[in-house]
Amino acid sequence: MGARALAAVIKQVTGNMINGQPQAAHFDCYKYMAAFLFLTFTKEEISMIMRKGCFYIIAVLLIVSACSKSNSITAVTITPPPDTSLQKMMPFPMGASISVSLMQNNIKYNAVVTKEYNSITPENAMKFAALHTAQNTFNFTDADYLVNFALLNNNKRVHGHTLIWHQSLPSWVTNFAGDSAAWENLMKTHIQTVVAHFKGKLTSWDVVNEAFDDNGNLRNSIWLQKLGGDYIARCFQYAHEADPAALLFYNDYGHEYSAAKRTAISNMLTGFKTRGIPVDGTGLQFHTRYNQTDANILAAITAAAATGLKVHISELDIALNPDNIQGLTLTPALAQQQADKYKFIIKTYNSLPASQKYGITTWNVSDADSWIPGTYNRPDWPLPFDANYSRKPAYYGILEGVK
Ligand code: G3I
């Protein structure tokens, strides 16, 4: 009976250690010892143990020693299981913008996209110049490839980007000669042909992209020049007519560094709601930087949520070399600062009401694929995967953000 009781105590104490609970402190171990001795044995048995019971004493010493070792663990390093992915771990859709040529030609890229994300945004394949190559010619080949990948093989959500923007316009548009009615028809035809093509396949669209300057004025784009400031509202109406089920977003950058811009965008969107213009969400691009202040990030997300619309962090990346230093190298300290900023953004976003969390999309997948080094001609490492598609500290920062 004494031996069985000893086995039970050993099981209990070692069980705690196997479960990796370093809080099984000395004190708890000594409590087990005392309980074991005084509850299990009679006085006579204890007396016998004292005379003859070397076995028990040795066993007790072994347990105390084991407990000392277990107590020496002061921190637990959590290594996620190999099948961890962002799409499994995030309590909201997690996406990336995707390059068609990388999907088709880079096995590692394709594997990471397939595994990690449940939402995708075409990085370039749905832009005006890519889809609408001449006035009466549309080319959906690349965009269809991505949509088919997402829906047929992987059941991922597809967010369309973008219907009306001042960039990525084909020359037939920038050279278009026509009165305002002809321009209106051009814009409406583009929106409705594209939205109708993907109807039932895309969940949502960036209807208008980057229509504001950083000072809060409307950008003096070709669309504003030809059609006047209310063209934005009409874009939403045209898109809604073509696919009433699609969720419609206004998308822009700079919310975190320009209060004037985010206020102008919020005013426009709340005005749309009042007028019954069909808008469902606001996209905060968040092409941001490791040293952007937490206060600014909080202000941007809070202001967006105050519209009552869905909030999409739609193009997230965090530059580590915003001052364009040639020859900068990626140090562990910089990588950790980036991880901390990813964590803060994800944590702040995750505090929004569930119905407003449309999701977070990073702008491409790995540092090798980012638009930043090429555009600014500098070294940089803005994304959660390194150039070899391994997870960076930033990746774990994202996971930490939802703990
Ligand atoms: O595919 C051609 C290639 O055939 C050609 O040889 C090469 C020569 O320049 O150009 C290639 O196309 C480039 C394309 O990216 C693919 O790499 C275009 O020139 C280049 O303009 C295009 O840049 C894209 C940019 O938007 C303009 O459309 C970036 O990839 C893309 O990341 C960027 O994304 C924007 C969002 O749409 C809106 N928010 C800001 C964000 C970053 O600028």
Side-chain angles (χ1 to χ4, degrees), residues 123-124 127 161 165 167-168 209-210 285 287 315 363 371:
E123 184 181 22
N124 290 309
K127 288 175 180 170
H161 174 86
W165 189 26
Q167 283 190 38
S168 294
N209 192 44
E210 301 174 5
Q285 293 186 7
H287 294 292
E315 304 187 15
W363 206 241
W371 65 288

Side-chain angles (χ1 to χ4, degrees), residues 106-221:
N106 184 328
I107 291 170
K108 284 186 179 176
Y109 183 92
N110 192 305
V112 169
V113 171
T114 302
K115 175 174 179 174
E116 296 284 351
Y117 305 105
N118 51 6
S119 177
I120 69 165
T121 302
E123 184 181 22
N124 290 309
M126 290 187 187
K127 288 175 180 170
F128 205 127
L131 291 181
H132 198 164
T133 49
Q135 188 162 5
N136 297 310
T137 309
F138 288 82
N139 179 353
F140 291 109
T141 308
D142 280 356
D144 283 345
Y145 165 84
L146 277 188
V147 173
N148 290 337
F149 158 78
L151 300 185
L152 298 181
N153 302 319
N154 300 280
N155 200 26
K156 299 180 193 300
R157 179 179 81 181
V158 186
H159 175 72
H161 174 86
T162 175
L163 293 168
I164 295 296
W165 189 26
H166 64 283
Q167 283 190 38
S168 294
L169 291 173
S171 56
W172 77 264
V173 171
T174 51
N175 296 329
F176 186 74
D179 59 13
S180 61
W183 272 94
E184 188 78 21
N185 184 54
L186 183 162
M187 184 177 79
K188 180 179 179 182
T189 301
H190 175 75
I191 291 172
Q192 296 204 324
T193 306
V194 171
V195 172
H197 178 84
F198 295 107
K199 184 177 179 182
K201 295 180 176 172
L202 264 62
T203 307
S204 49
W205 275 102
D206 288 334
V207 177
V208 177
N209 192 44
E210 301 174 5
F212 283 87
D213 284 328
D214 286 353
N215 61 12
N217 294 335
L218 279 179
R219 182 190 294 276
N220 188 24
S221 70

